[in-house]
Amino acid sequence: QVQLQASGGGLVQTGGSLRLSCLASGRSISDYGIGWFRQVPGKERDFVAGMSWTGGSRFYGDSVKGRFIISRDSAKNTAYLQMNSLKPEDTANYFCAAQIRSEVGFRPDSLDYEFWGRGTLVTVSS
């Protein structure tokens, strides 16, 4: 039901910053838990960051803790991923995803997200 559009990727030098955006349409972004994932060719899709539908809980993968920040602007129906102190190993295609609310609760680092946007490429040069 909800459609997601990720944007904001590009080329950045090591130590630089980028902010990715995930625009939701068709439904309120507040109706879903939001996750950010990244993937490089030949490797598994890895969890980067997640936020519960209430916005009260935030989760991060170990490799990005202290560097990345997930946030949401309900008025703009957009989620963000602020990426700081970027490293070459952060180079990947980044995806945003939405998880339907359930009685089980938000499962941030699971691939059990019902909706996925197209990726936006982030390249970090040495």
Side-chain angles (χ1 to χ4, degrees):
Q1 187 67 24
V2 67
Q3 295 177 330
L4 306 174
Q5 181 178 346
S7 62
L11 176 64
V12 64
Q13 295 181 353
T14 296
S17 299
L18 283 175
R19 188 178 74 165
L20 305 183
S21 299
C22 179
L23 176 64
S25 60
R27 285 282 194 271
S28 171
I29 198 169
S30 298
D31 290 338
Y32 303 89
I34 297 297
W36 285 96
F37 294 79
R38 64 188 183 188
Q39 187 173 31
V40 299
K43 294 187 177 181
E44 297 290 325
R45 184 170 296 186
D46 294 327
F47 172 76
V48 176
M51 174 182 285
S52 66
W53 47 84
T54 66
S57 298
R58 294 172 172 82
F59 307 86
Y60 298 95
D62 290 340
S63 64
V64 305
K65 288 181 179 178
R67 298 190 297 122
F68 291 10
I69 302 172
I70 187 172
S71 63
R72 181 188 67 198
D73 187 336
S74 296
K76 296 182 178 180
N77 217 31
T78 301
Y80 301 96
L81 182 69
Q82 178 66 45
M83 305 184 296
N84 301 314
S85 301
L86 284 163
K87 306 174 181 179
E89 51 263 44
D90 294 319
T91 296
N93 203 19
Y94 284 72
F95 301 84
C96 63
Q99 184 179 108
I100 298 175
R101 294 162 57 178
S102 73
E103 296 179 353
V104 176
F106 182 50
R107 306 172 299 284
D109 57 354
S110 171
L111 292 177
D112 190 20
Y113 287 76
E114 290 81 7
F115 306 99
W116 294 80
R118 293 184 180 274
T120 184
L121 182 63
V122 173
T123 302
V124 184
S125 63
S126 300

